Amino acid sequence: MNQTFDVRRLVSRDNNIVQLLVITALIFALMSFLEPNKFLRYYNFESISFVFPELGILAIAMMLAMLTGGIDLSVIGIANLSGILAGVYFSRYMPAEAGASGASEVLRVGTGVLLALLVGLSAGLLNGLLIAKARITPILATLGTGQIFTGFCVVLTGGPAITGFPAYWGLIGNGKIFGIAAPLVLFLLVAATIALVLTRTPFGLNLMLIGTNPRAAVFAGLKRDRMILYSYMTTGVLASIAGIMLSGRTNAAKSDYGTSYLLQAVLIAVLGGTNPAGGRGTVAGVSIAVIALMLLASGFQMMRFSNHLIDFIWGGFLLLVIAMNAYRNRAR
């Protein structure tokens, strides 16, 4: 009796997770039925395991910004700037040396990773200062900084992609760890870390409280500005990790890489149960949502849908999900 009650309570509490699992299963069944010879191949799922982690990390970054009632439209600019600055570092300031040992190459790549993460941290700090201190609305602040980051990318590269990343850098986006795609392993580590931070630390609890009721959070003594600053700094670091993975997978970095990821990251965050008004969101929901959408995107590509049509579908899907969430919130 008690066990039945607990299951019902669990389903009720994580109703969105159950819905996402059902949606994912339906998408998998539909694509398996429509394109069984292509969709069910091992190569397809292996390809997805290399591609979806960078989008998943961007969606988690977007979720963090939304938890405070904001949004970060600069994540793509941060990701590309991180990859490009790392590329500039490798090609102009720390080129490969003939006969260099493996240890020196690891050190060179490690320095590049730190540089890229520092870029993300600095970009997130700028966003946080504009939002928390200058009181600029998040959508306008991050729209402006996103343009600045993208423009800086064009200045650095002159337009074309920057190439010539070290081989070890490529392993971050294309390598395998014990037979598992390295990007997938990195995504699981990032997702588990953010989930623990949100559910087991005062930082996560405070973010939820600020997003739920900012005025009450201030009266409760929470440092709202500081929390927003930390939130966007974390978002910037996550965006830079996605930039490292993207440049590692393609062995290149360019100012307009991943432009379609912005809409998809917002869609995944909202579909994963994140409240755009703040206060609610889970890493588990975002993780399931990104898998569902990647399965759908893979099926669309096999059916030879154009990229423009897929973007149109994502946009319509986003509006539908927002409308459904708004209807459910009014019904509560």
Side-chain angles (χ1 to χ4, degrees):
M1 181 67 178
N2 290 335
Q3 188 175 7
T4 304
F5 172 76
D6 288 341
V7 171
R8 287 179 178 176
R9 188 175 61 177
L10 178 65
V11 171
S12 176
R13 188 182 62 186
D14 293 332
N15 190 38
N16 187 66
I17 300 293
V18 175
Q19 288 181 17
L20 283 171
L21 289 172
V22 172
I23 291 173
T24 306
L26 288 175
I27 291 173
F28 182 85
L30 178 64
M31 293 306 167
S32 300
F33 174 75
L34 293 175
E35 293 288 344
N37 295 328
K38 297 179 181 176
F39 186 78
L40 294 177
R41 292 178 63 184
Y42 170 77
Y43 174 78
N44 180 40
F45 298 107
E46 185 185 43
S47 176
I48 289 174
S49 70
F50 278 100
V51 175
F52 96 81
E54 60 204 31
L55 178 57
I57 290 178
L58 285 174
I60 291 174
M62 191 66 71
M63 179 199 70
L64 282 177
M66 286 183 173
L67 284 179
T68 60
I71 192 170
D72 192 342
L73 301 181
S74 67
V75 288
I76 303 302
I78 296 174
N80 286 330
L81 183 60
S82 301
I84 286 173
L85 278 176
V88 170
Y89 166 75
F90 290 130
S91 60
R92 299 179 188 174
Y93 301 105
M94 194 60 70
E97 297 179 359
S101 65
S104 63
E105 276 297 284
V106 169
L107 180 62
R108 191 164 75 102
V109 170
T111 308
V113 169
L114 288 178
L115 173 64
L117 295 178
L118 186 61
V119 170
L121 186 68
S122 303
L125 176 63
L126 175 61
N127 283 334
L129 288 174
L130 291 174
I131 295 166
K133 300 298 183 183
R135 303 297 180 189
I136 301 174
T137 54
I139 190 170
L140 292 180
T142 56
L143 182 64
T145 55
Q147 289 298 317
I148 291 174
F149 301 147
T150 301
F152 193 28
C153 291
V154 176
V155 171
L156 286 171
T157 63
I162 188 167
T163 58
F165 287 86
Y168 285 120
W169 185 273
L171 291 177
I172 300 174
N174 287 317
K176 288 187 176 181
I177 301 174
F178 301 115
I180 303 173
L184 177 58
V185 175
L186 188 55
F187 170 77
L188 292 175
L189 289 174
V190 170
T193 302
I194 298 298
L196 285 174
V197 168
L198 290 180
T199 57
R200 295 288 186 270
T201 67
F203 173 73
L205 178 61
N206 292 342
L207 276 187
M208 299 287 185
L209 291 175
I210 288 173
T212 303
N213 193 329
R215 187 178 295 274
V218 171
F219 288 141
L222 299 182
K223 306 292 185 184
R224 178 178 178 274
D225 290 354
R226 185 182 300 175
M227 297 306 299
I228 289 176
L229 200 60
Y230 291 163
S231 168
Y232 280 90
M233 289 169 69
T234 308
T235 298
V237 170
L238 292 177
S240 67
I241 293 175
I244 293 170
M245 296 166 71
L246 178 61
S247 57
R249 182 171 62 82
T250 60
N251 192 31
K254 194 166 181 263
S255 59
D256 61 354
Y257 275 0
T259 50
S260 64
Y261 280 177
L262 181 60
L263 172 63
Q264 294 180 46
V266 175
L267 171 59
I268 290 166
V270 175
L271 182 63
T274 307
N275 183 4
R280 190 176 70 247
T282 64
V283 174
V286 171
S287 300
I288 299 172
V290 69
I291 293 172
L293 255 67
M294 287 307 297
L295 291 176
L296 198 59
S298 175
F300 284 159
Q301 288 172 356
M302 289 174 184
M303 290 186 284
R304 299 186 182 280
F305 281 29
S306 74
N307 290 332
H308 300 297
L309 179 58
I310 293 175
D311 287 342
F312 172 79
I313 292 172
W314 292 153
F317 202 17
L318 175 61
L319 290 177
L320 178 64
V321 172
I322 291 175
M324 289 175 61
N325 288 344
Y327 175 78
R328 285 194 307 181
N329 290 334
R330 283 197 302 269
R332 285 173 180 170

